[in-house]
Amino acid sequence: ALDKILEKMKSSGFNFSQVRALSGAGQQHGSVYWKKGSADVLKNASCDLPLHQTLKDCFSISNSPIWMDSSTASQCSSLEKAVGGAQHLANITGSRAYERFTGNQIAKIYSQNPEVYMQTERISLVSSFAASLFLGAYAAIDYSDGSGMNLLKIREKEWSKSCLDACAPGLAEKLGYPVPSHSVLGPISPYYVKRYGFSPDCKIVAFTGDNPASLAGMRLQEGDIAISLGTSDTLFLWIQEPTPALEGHILCNPVELQAYMALLCFKNGSLMRERIRDDCASGSWDEFSKALTSTVAGNNGNLGFYFDVMEITPEAVGIHRFNRDNQKVVSDFPKEVEIRALIEGQFMAKRIHAEKLGYKVSKCDEKA
């Protein structure tokens, strides 16, 4: 894919010699397993061959686990037990054990295929893998993406020995030393100089995860908060003093070494809103919006929490309605009340869980 993109750019007349530096981002929680001897192959890639031919025999695992893999529940349990519980793990790494996190994925591979693990000389994240392709050498994992592995001590910015030992032997050597997200890793590989005309002085800056890259790309600053309203809703924010919790994630900030970013994911996002839109507004967003504006802020004390599927934050399922007297209401609200209850419930939950992770709303913010 990388070769195809660069070939199209070359054929369109793009002048690669003008590129002074490059960096990038990769989907968080995916991992790539380099077979022993692959470093030499990567370093000496022939400019006459596309990358996939050069690297086809370089991987000890052909199908890399990604964030959708939820098969490591036993490894998560073992990791939390090894370090003294879920909250203690969150205090160390910023998150309790999650099935998609890389440390638990590595632990599964080691437990099921120890021979494959021993044949692996380096483990990359998707981000550091992509950086390695440009660097012609194994690229370091950056602090921000590395803090989504259940392995990195987020305050000290180094691997946790207790977490590494709980996952697999000799893991520190296979991961390499983590680095700040803005580190210059070195010059571009000669492969790209010869094949595409890059300047040999072009620098490769550490790649990071897609979520930290969003915080950097949106130029968030301390106190800022961003919400992505998608199939799942994602909330991320810049904080100075993190308070890791059993729900949500604390990651190292990709922009400021002394700061952090918090990340919360809500599974019942747009699909939940669309279902209420269909039920209460004839499938029309215009009608949905009119119903929302026809009701007052606070919904006269009527409140609802709507989880068609098991939620991540908090771990709950079902529709839960409460009236102004805090009595659980079994029957449906009137349509316009239902719509406002959904929207207000979703955003209050986001604020509450953000505050648990260390986000502070000032008095002037509340007045505004």
Side-chain angles (χ1 to χ4, degrees):
L2 179 58
D3 270 329
K4 285 187 174 182
I5 291 170
L6 295 177
E7 290 289 355
K8 287 183 178 181
M9 293 175 70
K10 184 179 179 180
S11 64
S12 70
F14 183 83
N15 187 355
F16 288 102
S17 69
Q18 293 183 330
V19 178
R20 294 290 175 260
L22 64 86
S23 187
Q27 188 179 82
Q28 284 200 284
H29 311 306
S31 46
V32 180
Y33 299 79
W34 297 91
K35 190 185 298 182
K36 286 184 177 179
S38 297
D40 290 336
V41 178
L42 186 60
K43 179 181 178 181
N44 299 305
S46 170
C47 64
D48 297 324
L49 295 175
L51 285 174
H52 76 273
Q53 289 187 23
T54 299
L55 303 178
K56 62 181 179 179
D57 297 321
C58 284
F59 307 106
S60 52
I61 292 176
S62 57
N63 295 316
S64 294
I66 62 167
W67 70 273
M68 295 179 71
D69 191 309
S70 58
S71 63
T72 62
S74 62
Q75 286 77 23
C76 290
S77 177
S78 296
L79 177 58
E80 290 182 346
K81 184 177 180 181
V83 300
Q87 183 61 60
H88 193 211
L89 180 63
N91 293 340
I92 297 169
T93 70
S95 304
R96 67 172 304 165
Y98 282 87
E99 293 177 331
R100 64 188 183 277
F101 276 33
T102 320
N104 305 301
Q105 296 290 338
I106 294 170
K108 178 187 173 184
I109 289 169
Y110 171 68
S111 65
Q112 295 187 350
N113 298 289
E115 302 85 2
V116 167
Y117 177 80
M118 299 310 294
Q119 293 168 5
T120 301
E121 73 178 10
R122 185 72 169 216
I123 299 174
S124 296
L125 299 181
V126 174
S127 58
S128 62
F129 167 69
S132 300
L133 297 181
F134 281 107
L135 194 62
Y138 294 144
I141 293 172
D142 79 292
Y143 294 157
S144 292
D145 207 1
S147 48
M149 300 173 71
N150 275 145
L151 296 176
L152 187 79
K153 293 193 283 187
I154 58 170
R155 291 176 174 82
E156 295 84 355
K157 312 291 194 294
E158 60 187 30
W159 302 122
S160 163
K161 186 178 185 304
S162 59
C163 293
L164 295 177
D165 292 345
C167 291
L171 185 50
E173 183 180 355
K174 296 182 190 296
L175 294 176
Y177 292 103
V179 299
S181 302
H182 47 73
S183 300
V184 175
L185 302 180
I188 196 167
S189 167
Y191 173 87
Y192 300 92
V193 176
K194 297 173 183 176
R195 189 174 176 94
Y196 298 108
F198 277 90
S199 166
D201 296 325
C202 177
K203 305 299 183 186
I204 306 302
V205 180
F207 285 31
T208 192
D210 52 358
N211 290 307
S214 295
L215 179 137
M218 294 184 71
R219 303 180 68 187
L220 297 193
Q221 299 177 27
E222 183 179 355
D224 286 347
I225 188 168
I227 300 174
S228 171
L229 299 177
T231 303
S232 292
D233 289 348
T234 303
L235 177 150
F236 51 97
L237 51 145
W238 179 304
I239 54 177
Q240 289 296 131
E241 296 297 331
T243 53
L246 295 181
E247 294 167 337
H249 316 291
I250 302 291
L251 307 177
C252 296
N253 191 300
V255 179
E256 172 56 57
L257 277 177
Q258 304 307 316
Y260 300 85
M261 68 173 287
L263 178 70
L264 288 160
C265 187
F266 301 86
K267 190 179 293 185
N268 291 270
S270 67
L271 294 182
M272 190 73 249
R273 290 187 290 274
E274 289 168 7
R275 205 264 285 170
I276 298 298
R277 175 203 63 187
D278 294 344
D279 291 348
C280 299
S282 304
S284 166
W285 284 121
D286 286 340
E287 287 191 29
F288 185 98
S289 297
K290 289 177 182 177
L292 185 62
T293 55
S294 73
T295 51
V296 298
N299 212 14
N300 292 314
N302 296 300
L303 179 65
F305 300 99
Y306 299 78
F307 310 123
D308 272 354
V309 296
M310 179 62 72
E311 186 51 83
I312 300 170
T313 312
E315 191 172 330
V317 69
I319 309 301
H320 308 274
R321 300 181 184 87
F322 300 85
N323 64 16
R324 62 194 305 166
D325 298 318
N326 201 30
Q327 296 171 328
K328 190 166 183 179
V329 179
V330 178
S331 60
D332 291 346
F333 286 141
K335 291 182 178 181
E336 66 278 5
V337 175
E338 184 96 314
I339 288 171
R340 179 165 285 277
L342 165 71
I343 297 301
E344 289 191 347
Q346 286 188 330
F347 277 85
M348 279 193 290
K350 289 173 174 60
R351 171 174 168 172
I352 289 168
H353 288 286
E355 289 176 336
K356 286 182 179 179
L357 293 177
Y359 184 71
K360 295 178 175 63
V361 178
S362 68
K363 294 296 182 183
C364 64
D365 290 333
E366 290 179 332
K367 290 178 182 178

